[in-house]
Every structure is written in C-alpha cells, then in structure tokens.
Amino acid sequence: MKPSLQLEKISEMSRHVIDSLRRIVWALNPKNDTLDNLLAYNAPYVAEFFRNNAGALLLEFPDSVQPIPLSAEFRRNIFSYRQGECA
C-alpha cells in the first residue's frame, strides 16, 4: 500500500474515533439532560440520515424549545437508538 493511502486510511480512522469519543462525552454529560439539548444535538444527524437515504425531508422546529428535564437514561436510550438508526 502506498504511503499516501496509508496516511489517508489512518486519517479517516482517526476522524471516526474522535467523532465516536465526542458522541460518548455528549451522552454522558449531565448538562445535556434536557429536551432542547437532545433535539439540537440530534437534528443534524437525522437530517443527514434522510438526505442520504430517503431524499427530501423538511425538519421544522419551533424558535425555542423548553429545557424540559429528561432522565439521563431516557436521553441515552434515544442517543443509542439514533446511533443504530442514523449511523
């Protein structure tokens, strides 16, 4: 394998690991245990999933979402579901 291809593969793997670590940190951060944070975090992933798999999608959110508290367990379950469906 050419060195440039090896470097590209290492770079791609590194980006994947960093992205996975960011997701884990977000999922464990108790500051994100609110509905507004959950929606804000997941919206780009859901939009990307539908852009790549289903064509047109229009996501509409209200101008503001109340910071309704969510249990960490509920948030992690939604996060895990999204990881399986939109990854």
Side-chain angles (χ1 to χ4, degrees), residues 3-57:
S4 61
L5 292 176
Q6 288 176 326
L7 288 175
E8 181 59 36
K9 187 168 184 150
I10 290 169
S11 177
E12 182 180 330
M13 291 171 61
S14 298
R15 283 190 297 271
H16 180 71
V17 168
I18 290 168
D19 189 44
S20 295
L21 289 172
R22 282 187 187 132
R23 292 174 184 178
I24 291 168
V25 168
W26 185 90
L28 295 174
N29 186 343
K31 291 180 182 178
N32 295 321
D33 288 346
T34 59
L35 180 61
D36 58 329
N37 282 332
L38 181 69
L39 291 174
Y41 185 78
N42 283 292
Y45 291 98
V46 172
E48 184 68 22
F49 172 78
F50 282 102
R51 183 175 19 261
N52 291 333
N53 296 293
L57 170 72

